[in-house]
Amino acid sequence: MKYKHIFFDLDHTLWDFNKNAHETLTELYRDLKLSSYFPSFSVFYSKYIEINDELWDLYRDNKISKESLRTVRFENTFKFFGIDNFELAQTLGNEYVRIGPYKSNLFEDCHEVLTKLKFNYKLHIITNGFEEVQSIKMKSANLNQYFDQIITSEKAGVTKPHAQIFEYALAAAKAMASQSVMVGDNFEVDCIGAEKSGFTSVFFNPQNLKQNKKVSYEITHLKELLGLFNK
């Protein structure tokens, strides 16, 4: 068997980040009466996702801190709509981090795929998410049962796509890059980063986003992993 270890990203790959975020913010929009401030939930949510993605890029490049990311994403959303209410933005940020990780929506067939892969491979997580938050997500979604090593960027001291986090993960799993696969939704961060460190990579691309480069494999559904690695 060529491969012995399969490493997964968590958010947007196993844990359905967008669905869970949408669910959490729908509840908070109602509970905090945010309709008094925004034209509609969909307008608020679309702008928040855009700002959040931009700030995560800065966090991965070590240009902002974890604490700044958590607060600024909502502050900047409020500012975009001309809302001057720092206290409400801070409350929304705190409640989002408190409630969101307990949501347990996963991508389709996630449990079935992980159950079957675990028979033949050692499974691990490599995530840029925050240590305490990812721990709650894993527990709430009943994912801990599948994984030997759960590597967060906070634990490794560096974020994907930097080589050090992949090296840290290999050492923790007692694995060789040539026998390891990385599965993730972010083409540059998960796939290109992993391949530069000697992994085989699988680009999880449910939205069929076009890329200028190629990696080892590309899938649109997690179940396709069984055809690739459970032959």
Side-chain angles (χ1 to χ4, degrees):
M1 185 186 298
K2 180 180 178 183
Y3 301 111
K4 294 183 179 179
H5 299 265
I6 302 179
F7 295 80
F8 286 87
D9 177 46
L10 181 58
D11 294 334
H12 301 285
T13 301
L14 301 177
W15 197 78
D16 193 335
F17 182 95
N18 287 344
K19 190 171 185 178
N20 290 315
H22 191 279
E23 218 172 81
T24 304
L25 288 171
T26 298
E27 294 170 12
L28 290 172
Y29 190 88
R30 178 197 65 219
D31 295 346
L32 296 176
K33 299 179 172 55
L34 297 183
S35 58
S36 303
Y37 298 90
F38 297 97
S40 68
F41 173 77
S42 61
V43 170
F44 155 75
Y45 182 73
S46 295
K47 178 51 64 173
Y48 163 75
I49 290 295
E50 179 186 323
I51 289 171
N52 187 52
D53 287 346
E54 290 170 356
L55 289 170
W56 267 101
D57 286 341
L58 293 177
Y59 175 74
R60 281 191 288 266
D61 290 337
N62 297 314
K63 293 179 179 176
I64 60 171
S65 68
K66 163 184 170 180
E67 290 72 23
S68 294
L69 169 59
R70 283 180 163 179
T71 306
V72 170
R73 57 188 173 183
F74 290 106
E75 285 180 23
N76 287 358
T77 304
F78 276 43
K79 285 177 185 174
F80 178 84
F81 291 98
I83 302 164
D84 182 18
N85 193 331
F86 173 78
E87 185 177 343
L88 182 58
Q90 193 169 44
T91 298
L92 178 57
N94 290 338
E95 287 299 286
Y96 177 76
V97 171
R98 183 180 69 83
I99 296 169
Y102 289 94
K103 298 296 182 182
S104 57
N105 294 296
L106 301 173
F107 281 93
E108 190 177 11
D109 297 320
C110 180
H111 282 293
E112 177 188 348
V113 169
L114 294 175
T115 297
K116 290 179 178 177
L117 288 176
K118 192 167 173 58
F119 279 114
N120 295 318
Y121 303 93
K122 295 284 188 183
L123 307 183
H124 316 281
I125 293 283
I126 309 177
T127 173
N128 280 348
F130 306 136
E131 182 83 26
E132 73 278 13
V133 171
Q134 301 305 71
S135 176
I136 294 169
K137 290 176 184 176
M138 295 286 293
K139 184 176 182 180
S140 298
N142 197 26
L143 290 173
N144 284 314
Q145 59 182 310
Y146 304 111
F147 297 100
D148 287 27
Q149 295 292 327
I150 300 170
I151 307 301
T152 64
S153 54
E154 286 188 305
K155 190 184 291 183
V158 65
T159 57
K160 294 178 291 184
H162 301 291
Q164 295 96 312
I165 192 169
F166 293 106
E167 292 164 5
Y168 181 98
L170 289 172
K174 297 181 174 57
M176 293 191 298
S178 61
Q179 296 178 327
S180 300
V181 177
M182 177 72 206
V183 182
D185 72 288
N186 190 306
F187 190 82
E188 294 291 336
V189 172
D190 295 315
C191 300
I192 298 298
E195 293 210 343
K196 284 181 178 178
S197 292
F199 288 64
T200 294
S201 77
V202 179
F203 178 38
F204 177 54
N205 187 17
Q207 296 179 319
N208 279 304
L209 302 174
K210 301 301 179 188
Q211 303 295 332
N212 294 326
K213 294 176 273 188
K214 295 282 187 184
V215 291
S216 307
Y217 299 102
E218 182 174 328
I219 60 172
T220 58
H221 192 292
L222 289 177
K223 213 163 188 179
E224 292 175 65
L225 290 172
L226 300 180
L228 291 176
F229 302 114
N230 255 23
K231 295 178 181 177

